[in-house]
Amino acid sequence: MSRYDLLIKGGTVVLPYHGEVRADLAVRDGKVAALADDIAASEAGEVVDAAGKVVLPGAVDAHFHLGIYRDLALDAFEETRSSLVGGATTVVSYFRTGSHYLERTGPYKEIFPEVLDRVSGRCWTDYGFHLAPMTVEQISEIPFLVEEHGVTSFKYYMFYKGFDLAANSRDAQAFTMGDEYDLGHLYLIMEQVAAVQQARPDLRLSLSLHCEQSELMRVFIDRVRSQGDPQTLRAYHEGRPPLTERVAIGEATTLASHTGTNINLLHLSSQEAIEAVALARASYGGIDMRAETTLHHLCLDHDTLDARGGLGGKVNPPIRTKADNEALWRRVADGTVDWVASDHACCMEAEKGEELWPARPGFGGTALLYPVLFSEGHVKRGLSLTRVAELASANPARAYNLWGRKGSLAVGFDADLTVVDPGLTQTVTAERCLSGQDHCPFEGVDLTGWPVTTVVGGQVRFRDGDVVGEPSGRYAHRG
């Protein structure tokens, strides 16, 4: 019998917060068992040749939407398969009651077990969930969700008090199928999260926030529609401008400073938004607030996408400008941004249509997580590979109670990793992403540095463009 199950041999291993080391990495029983200068190939049952390649901890794609527009079980299978392409080995998906997802409301005590049952055995990656309390009853369930299901992160959508998901209707209550969804509701969630945090100091209990201010959105959307109602991504950006993010960040951080709630500010899309975060941190130094941006807000701009035509790039918050892209990259480099995620939401081209406001927002991107960070971050902008690993893996793992299992390649951590070929340049296509989605806003972009092998729990699940074996992802109980 071999000493090790799997050996990753000859690569440059990237250890978050420490650096790069030329080492062999051995796996036993699904865990990293050894890092050494030279481990004989004969000691392992399977060997992956990583000579000339980079070995990174499997990405923790911490912003995902399984089942938002499609059958939950189908999405779990096809979209976590896509994650393997980008080197992601864990996804943490958002779920809420109301329109989309399961199209109903009720207590999570009844609904969440159904969610877990539908995705069980279907995921190629390990997986967890953030839950959004849409009703007062669901707020009261937070202690139960922490203890029973290990859900330690929750969500509030700030613009739902005035609009539906697409910003096509102002009948928000019909969309949420919930109670009064205003700042008072947000305050009650924060109070409950903070109270549970006091009872569980061993965990980081947190509330994630989609920051766009709905009253201002109403003014700007009405203005855009009254001026000829252009059907472009620029018009969507103008209807939901960065000011709405900035004001919402101010509201959310003010409430968090009062309640003492740990918060995560999601998918920051603009220079105004990220500067508002920096200001809030300076103003409320005692509050744990962490900042996320996405691949598309780092790399895509509305003028370029509008020149190509179509509404495939409609997303919330909107795609901004090249100047916003570069401002976010600067804040990625200086540490203001804590992690980068995909905000993956499989949405077919037919669901976009030709009319801006009814078009469904969101698109997939998990297959591009490490390729974008490697190509645009490391190769083009000089981010260290250590910083890339922190952005994609270690920092979200720390934020969401996965550290110690996920986020590093240290001995004892789960053997979740990806082997990246630093010289491999490929053009992004929908087919290459292995998603159920039939289009991709990154289509035609050349990226350098793609995963050639992805390992989940010590099992090779992706090799040279194809999946291997069967889904074996496990639910990540974070309590």
Side-chain angles (χ1 to χ4, degrees):
M1 178 179 287
S2 301
R3 182 179 182 187
Y4 301 113
D5 303 320
L6 177 68
L7 178 64
I8 312 298
K9 188 163 182 62
T12 296
V13 177
V14 181
L15 297 171
Y17 317 118
H18 293 284
E20 303 169 29
V21 59
R22 214 304 303 159
D24 293 349
L25 184 151
V27 174
R28 183 172 55 241
D29 297 331
K31 303 285 186 180
V32 177
L35 286 167
D37 289 338
D38 185 28
I39 300 173
S42 59
E43 292 197 64
E46 182 178 2
V47 178
V48 172
D49 181 5
K53 298 180 177 66
V54 175
V55 185
L56 290 153
V60 176
D61 196 347
H63 196 145
F64 219 92
H65 294 277
L66 289 174
I68 184 171
Y69 298 133
R70 303 196 304 161
D71 175 76
L72 184 54
L74 175 64
D75 243 16
F77 183 88
E78 292 189 340
E79 305 318 302
T80 62
R81 178 185 65 190
S82 184
S83 296
L84 300 176
V85 180
T89 54
T90 302
V91 305
V92 192
S93 183
Y94 287 94
F95 181 86
R96 58 164 173 74
T97 55
S99 298
H100 304 309
Y101 300 101
L102 297 183
E103 298 283 355
R104 70 176 193 268
T105 190
Y108 277 123
K109 190 171 185 177
E110 297 174 4
I111 290 176
F112 191 52
E114 180 180 340
V115 172
L116 294 177
D117 183 62
R118 290 198 185 195
V119 302
S120 179
R122 304 286 292 173
C123 292
W124 293 88
T125 65
D126 287 352
Y127 57 93
F129 287 91
H130 318 277
L131 297 180
M134 309 302 291
T135 68
V136 173
E137 178 186 22
Q138 290 171 357
I139 295 174
S140 71
E141 291 185 283
I142 288 175
F144 163 80
L145 292 168
V146 173
E147 296 301 327
E148 183 70 19
H149 292 293
V151 174
T152 60
S153 45
F154 301 88
K155 187 173 184 180
Y156 180 80
Y157 305 78
M158 296 188 73
F159 75 95
Y160 278 178
K161 63 179 175 174
F163 287 91
D164 68 357
L165 181 61
N168 191 46
S169 168
R170 291 181 187 166
D171 189 356
Q173 198 155 356
F175 177 80
T176 61
M177 302 183 193
D179 301 321
E180 194 78 19
Y181 199 78
D182 55 11
L183 285 181
H185 190 81
L186 171 57
Y187 184 79
L188 293 175
I189 297 173
M190 285 190 175
E191 279 191 322
Q192 183 69 282
V193 170
V196 178
Q197 177 67 85
Q198 286 191 331
R200 290 297 306 268
D202 55 313
L203 299 173
R204 180 180 184 261
L205 275 293
S206 63
L207 180 64
S208 295
L209 292 135
H210 181 132
C211 293
E212 290 182 280
Q213 214 277 348
S214 65
E215 288 93 337
L216 289 174
M217 281 173 53
R218 173 181 59 79
V219 171
F220 289 112
I221 289 172
D222 285 350
R223 187 170 295 172
V224 167
R225 301 193 77 164
S226 70
Q227 296 172 349
D229 201 10
Q231 306 296 296
T232 63
L233 297 178
R234 173 187 280 269
Y236 199 59
H237 152 76
E238 291 173 347
R240 308 172 73 139
L243 178 62
T244 68
E245 280 189 283
R246 177 180 164 191
V247 172
I249 289 167
E251 292 177 333
T253 54
T254 299
L255 292 181
S257 72
H258 181 80
T259 58
T261 310
N262 305 323
I263 58 173
N264 314 303
L265 301 164
L266 302 182
H267 45 43
L268 299 165
S269 72
S270 62
Q271 181 170 3
E272 277 195 59
I274 195 61
E275 295 309 321
V277 172
L279 178 62
R281 281 177 172 160
S283 301
Y284 307 122
I287 297 302
D288 178 347
M289 61 178 77
R290 307 196 189 183
E292 169 195 282
T293 193
T294 70
L295 304 174
H296 46 277
H297 288 123
L298 286 169
C299 297
L300 302 179
D301 69 278
H302 56 65
D303 285 341
T304 299
L305 293 181
D306 281 339
R308 284 171 43 185
L311 299 172
K314 180 179 175 179
V315 67
N316 301 335
I319 299 296
R320 306 294 189 191
T321 67
K322 289 183 179 179
D324 288 305
N325 297 154
E326 293 308 317
L328 289 168
W329 276 117
R330 288 192 294 271
R331 288 304 200 170
V332 164
D334 73 10
T336 304
V337 172
D338 292 288
W339 65 83
V340 176
S342 70
D343 194 1
H344 186 96
C346 181
C347 184
M348 308 304 280
E349 195 164 21
E351 295 173 314
K352 299 291 186 178
E354 298 179 358
E355 296 182 55
L356 176 61
W357 302 104
R360 286 183 165 180
F363 47 78
T366 190
L368 306 178
L369 193 46
Y370 267 131
V372 164
L373 285 171
F374 198 101
S375 187
E376 293 293 309
H378 175 63
V379 176
K380 185 174 179 179
R381 293 176 175 84
L383 290 182
S384 70
L385 291 177
T386 306
R387 176 67 175 147
V388 167
E390 291 161 6
L391 289 164
S393 185
N395 288 350
R398 283 186 178 274
Y400 294 122
N401 300 299
L402 291 166
W403 185 253
R405 292 177 283 165
K406 315 292 184 185
S408 179
L409 295 175
V411 171
F413 277 67
D414 289 353
D416 297 340
L417 60 92
T418 193
V419 180
V420 171
D421 183 341
L424 178 60
T425 299
Q426 297 185 131
T427 302
V428 178
T429 65
E431 293 76 19
R432 190 181 302 283
C433 293
L434 298 186
S435 164
Q437 186 171 280
D438 56 359
H439 69 103
C440 179
F442 282 85
E443 188 96 26
V445 173
D446 291 334
L447 298 173
T448 299
W450 287 78
V452 291
T453 304
T454 300
V455 175
V456 181
Q459 302 292 318
V460 174
R461 287 292 173 251
F462 174 81
R463 182 188 291 122
D464 297 329
D466 294 311
V467 293
V468 178
E470 297 295 331
S472 57
R474 299 166 297 172
Y475 175 63
H477 188 290
R478 295 176 287 136

